[in-house]
Amino acid sequence: MDAYASFYQRSIHDRDGFWREQAQLIDWHVPPTQVCDYSKPPFARWFVGGQTNLCHNAVDRHLNDRADQPALIYVSTETGHEITYSFAQLSDEVQRMAAILQSLGVKQGDRVLIYMPMVAEAAFAMLACVRIGAIHSVVFGGFASHALASRIDDASPVLVISADAGSRGGKVVPYKPLLDEAISLSKLPPQSVLMVDRGLTPFHRVDGRDHDYAALRQQHLNARVPCVWLASEHPSYTLYTSGTTGKPKGVQRDTAGYTVALAASMQHIFVGKPGEVYFSTSDIGWVVGHSYIIYGPLIAGMATLMYEGLPTRPHGGVWWELVEKYRVTHMFSAPTAVRVLKKQDPALLSKYDISSLKALYLAGEPLDEPTAQWIADGLGKPIIDNYWQTETGWPILTVANGVQPMPSKFGSPGVPMYGFHVKLLNDHTGEELTGANEKGVVVVEGPLPPGCLQTLWGDDERFVKTYWQSVPGRWVYSTFDWGVRDADGYFYILGRTDDVINVAGHRLGTREIEESISSHPNVAEVAVVGVADQLKGQVAMAFVVAKDSSGLADAGARLKLEGEIMKLVDSQLGAVARPARVLFLSLLPKTRSGKLLRRAIQAVCERRDPGDLTTIDDPTPLQQIKDQLA
Ligand code: ATP
Ligand code: MG
């Protein structure tokens, strides 16, 4: 991999020269005078002195060459709605939305909170905000009023854009009552609410505060709202992390660095070209939705497919049917979604003509080998793992096939991406680990490359305190993930730094124990956490969702399965790794983004307060744990 190795080395050792070249991938109103100002570490300012606009680069820039090509393909299997917007039509809709925002008093620098289901209007709203320099803050539509209220207070938006309801599995999920409740709970209620009425459910309108999108759109049909040229560092948006390890953090992103980073990633990592079609199954409420449903593909001149619905409705092959219908070339999803598909008939993977598809990218959590193998065999396409965080905005570890075709290795997301000076540190001594197969904390030496967080919204101090460590002469950003690098330079993510269990002095990764337990034929999903123990310091506890739980109401059957699992761990890893208990749950506690809430399980086991649970999907399993431990 010589070509990539020198590309990477240049990004680290000739940082400014490298990124000056990448900056050519986007349009500038005023080109930058300085590539990177790192005079106040760990804060990095990228493309200082430049002016550009994210919406211009995603939409307007394409109007000369491909005005009539598809830009946004919207498909809802919930409502049956299916519509394709060309770049010209998308531009019209975004300008109408921008005019509406202005008519409601939104000005440059104001925050606009977007609490919406997966509807095309949500994409118009995001693009309209960045068009006029308003800072959007998308809050995942599945969150309830408490989570929403805390985000309203943090962002203090002048406007909230929402809808009457979402729909999930054919069931209408009203949004408006939750929004009204959140606003009444919040200390800084917004002046206005813009409502997209999908006609799914009636809702209460607050006079003087609530406005109707369709009526205002009618008034602004011919709106022309030019892009506002923004300084490179002007914030484009804020977005909260998933809250897996604690209170969500409000990540703040800039304008120019993010635009350049996405344009570069589309070329070097995703290898996407105008005329191709990108289908990311994420939600606009997450970072993948920001970078790779909305901005990245559009910046590259690709069409993006925005999908509302489940992967299993109306049938388990619906994604592949969409790939066939729209000639999708790139797909992006998460291991958790693939595990859902794994429960479907594998024949569905080969039922449709998916010859247009080049690769499936997966991110968000560790991709275990059985899941990767299953989907790779079923689709016959490359499966490309990529590792990153809300904070970074684009992949830290993956393969850069656009620079040089590179093999993927199962279990590894890949190698450090250009711009990320990735290192492994010994978590006790803080020393850098340079040898192969040494386990350490994955860190990035500052400055972080373009596209990463500028700071945490309104809290520079928390930004520095949370992520950064200063070692004499340099600043180091911690990912809080634990990893190892093999002799070829491929990294393996072993779990979060708080996922290490210390049993009587033996340090064990929870992921290793989980993988061992997963190999039992009746285990569908498993979580292992370390729980405080007077004698041993910590012991491992395992929480298992059985594939076939029909017999497990019977205590004897539970004991038998628990014994089998313990024996399995004994034989594969040794008795120190054997969980003290194996409890059976109907599902695992996860965030709405599908991440395992280990810290909450651990807290419940240690009879502590589980902390911030605003992002939990379903609290039932925590109750099941409490009941079983009682
Ligand atoms: P919080 O920071 O609020 O606790 P979070 O870390 O879950 O939440 P995200 O930014 O959505 O929020 O997730 C990033 C994390 O997801 C990474 O730090 C890593 O732990 C995990 N992750 C993402 N992609 C991968 C991957 N390909 N392989 C392994 N782990 C991954
Ligand atoms: Mg995190």
Side-chain angles (χ1 to χ4, degrees):
M1 30 180 244
D2 294 330
Y4 182 70
S6 58
F7 187 80
Y8 177 77
Q9 287 305 327
R10 177 154 182 248
S11 77
I12 303 300
H13 300 298
D14 176 21
R15 184 178 72 209
D16 286 7
F18 178 89
W19 286 108
R20 190 177 295 116
E21 263 172 44
Q22 302 305 316
Q24 311 289 319
L25 294 170
I26 73 161
D27 272 6
W28 295 88
H29 180 62
V30 176
T33 50
Q34 188 185 2
V35 176
C36 180
D37 172 8
Y38 197 48
S39 59
K40 289 196 193 74
F43 298 90
R45 295 166 65 217
W46 285 98
F47 306 114
V48 183
Q51 286 181 20
T52 185
N53 183 287
L54 187 46
C55 183
H56 169 86
N57 279 286
V59 182
D60 302 50
R61 182 159 76 130
H62 303 300
L63 294 177
N64 280 336
D65 295 340
R66 56 190 72 94
D68 299 325
Q69 284 179 22
L72 178 67
I73 301 165
Y74 176 73
V75 177
S76 171
T77 50
E78 296 286 336
T79 62
H81 210 66
E82 202 159 327
I83 178 169
T84 297
Y85 299 87
S86 66
F87 277 97
Q89 289 165 327
L90 179 61
S91 164
D92 288 345
E93 293 297 349
V94 170
Q95 295 193 64
R96 287 167 190 148
M97 184 66 88
I100 295 172
L101 299 189
Q102 288 178 331
S103 77
L104 295 173
V106 176
K107 296 181 301 295
Q108 182 180 335
D110 285 346
R111 273 80 59 209
V112 173
L113 190 137
I114 298 173
Y115 176 62
M116 294 178 93
M118 291 288 282
V119 289
E121 289 80 1
F124 307 157
M126 291 167 72
L127 289 161
C129 284
V130 296
R131 187 174 189 85
I132 61 171
I135 301 165
H136 63 66
S137 182
V138 181
V139 175
F140 175 57
F143 286 146
S145 46
H146 179 64
L148 181 55
S150 70
R151 286 160 178 73
I152 291 177
D153 282 340
D154 196 54
S156 57
V158 297
L159 172 73
V160 175
I161 309 180
S162 191
D164 55 339
S167 179
R168 202 178 144 78
K171 272 212 290 278
V172 171
V173 184
Y175 278 31
K176 187 59 168 35
L178 299 179
L179 174 61
D180 287 340
E181 197 188 328
I183 291 177
S184 73
L185 287 171
S186 77
K187 294 177 209 86
L188 291 161
Q191 295 146 24
S192 316
V193 172
L194 179 63
M195 289 298 299
V196 173
D197 185 356
R198 310 177 73 190
L200 292 178
T201 182
F203 61 92
H204 172 70
R205 286 184 170 78
V206 177
D207 271 349
R209 188 195 74 185
D210 295 357
H211 304 268
D212 181 55
Y213 168 73
L216 287 172
R217 181 178 173 277
Q218 217 46 43
Q219 290 172 24
H220 294 282
L221 273 185
N222 302 314
R224 293 287 99 181
V225 179
C227 289
V228 175
W229 298 114
L230 300 168
S232 292
E233 313 95 290
H234 192 284
S236 56
Y237 67 78
T238 67
L239 177 66
Y240 294 88
T241 58
S242 298
T244 308
T245 54
K247 188 171 179 281
K249 301 169 279 270
V251 162
Q252 176 184 319
R253 201 92 68 206
D254 73 355
T255 293
Y258 186 56
T259 312
V260 170
L262 291 185
S265 74
M266 292 311 296
Q267 181 156 38
H268 307 311
I269 300 173
F270 297 102
V271 210
K273 288 186 266 319
E276 295 185 324
V277 183
Y278 202 104
F279 174 17
S280 164
T281 69
S282 182
D283 187 283
I284 51 155
W286 314 126
V287 67
V288 176
H290 283 61
S291 294
Y292 299 113
I293 295 178
I294 306 296
Y295 296 117
L298 292 176
I299 288 172
M302 300 171 80
T304 183
L305 197 157
M306 185 174 177
Y307 175 70
E308 180 186 52
L310 301 177
T312 49
R313 246 182 114 241
H315 55 79
V318 60
W319 283 358
W320 321 115
E321 191 181 3
L322 288 171
V323 170
E324 174 180 299
K325 178 164 181 189
Y326 290 104
R327 308 300 298 153
V328 171
T329 50
H330 298 63
M331 263 189 93
F332 194 129
S333 192
T336 198
V338 176
R339 281 184 213 113
V340 169
L341 292 179
K342 234 165 127 180
K343 296 180 189 141
Q344 309 284 314
D345 179 3
L348 289 166
L349 297 179
S350 49
K351 184 171 168 195
Y352 299 92
D353 172 10
I354 58 165
S355 54
S356 58
L357 189 66
K358 295 181 180 171
L360 169 65
Y361 298 85
L362 295 173
E365 49 177 324
L367 175 63
D368 56 285
E369 185 162 347
T371 301
Q373 194 65 59
W374 180 84
I375 191 79
D377 291 347
L379 294 178
K381 304 281 179 181
I383 306 301
I384 303 178
D385 189 1
N386 55 121
Y387 161 84
W388 44 302
Q389 307 182 302
T390 309
E391 289 86 344
T392 66
W394 59 284
I396 307 173
L397 298 172
T398 184
V399 287
N401 284 323
V403 180
Q404 176 183 8
M406 286 156 85
S408 288
K409 295 192 190 186
F410 278 141
S412 164
V415 300
M417 283 299 98
Y418 51 91
F420 286 100
H421 196 181
V422 180
K423 296 182 167 182
L424 288 170
L425 298 189
N426 178 308
D427 59 345
H428 287 309
T429 63
E431 269 167 73
E432 187 178 347
L433 304 171
T434 47
N437 305 319
E438 293 184 292
K439 292 178 190 174
V441 183
V442 181
V443 303
V444 183
E445 188 170 322
L448 291 173
C452 297
L453 77 172
Q454 291 177 291
T455 183
L456 293 177
W457 175 251
D459 204 342
D460 286 349
E461 200 186 314
R462 186 175 175 212
F463 167 67
V464 178
K465 267 221 305 257
T466 305
Y467 300 105
W468 295 90
Q469 253 176 292
S470 97
V471 209
R474 54 206 167 88
W475 286 78
V476 169
Y477 168 91
S478 178
T479 62
F480 300 105
D481 289 310
W482 200 49
V484 63
R485 174 179 37 211
D486 72 9
D488 299 328
Y490 279 68
F491 279 69
Y492 295 76
I493 298 296
L494 303 172
R496 313 241 179 184
T497 48
D498 52 7
D499 294 347
V500 185
I501 308 183
N502 196 330
V503 184
H506 301 276
R507 294 165 56 73
L508 306 164
T510 50
R511 189 174 167 193
E512 273 173 292
I513 308 177
E514 284 166 4
E515 283 191 352
S516 165
I517 295 178
S518 300
S519 64
H520 189 284
N522 195 18
V523 171
E525 264 194 293
V526 55
V528 170
V529 302
V531 177
D533 181 84
Q534 284 201 330
L535 211 62
K536 297 181 175 168
Q538 269 188 321
V539 291
M541 294 267 280
F543 300 87
V544 164
V545 178
K547 274 191 189 138
D548 174 14
S549 58
S550 51
L552 293 179
D554 171 55
R558 282 203 302 274
L559 265 180
K560 179 167 172 280
L561 185 52
E562 180 171 13
E564 283 173 22
I565 289 172
M566 288 181 172
K567 244 197 224 126
L568 188 68
V569 177
D570 276 3
S571 66
Q572 293 184 351
L573 300 174
V576 276
R578 180 203 305 154
R581 287 291 312 274
V582 181
L583 301 185
F584 297 95
L585 307 176
S586 59
L587 74 169
L588 295 177
K590 290 192 177 174
T591 64
R592 299 301 304 247
S593 51
K595 289 159 194 274
L596 195 58
L597 277 162
R598 272 208 189 72
R599 53 144 176 120
I601 306 179
Q602 190 178 36
V604 167
C605 291
E606 295 178 350
R607 298 182 167 73
R608 287 183 287 113
D609 172 20
D612 188 296
L613 286 181
T614 49
T615 66
I616 197 168
D617 188 35
D618 183 343
T620 316
L622 288 185
Q623 192 55 48
Q624 291 177 346
I625 297 172
K626 269 185 206 158
D627 295 346
Q628 293 189 49
L629 290 176

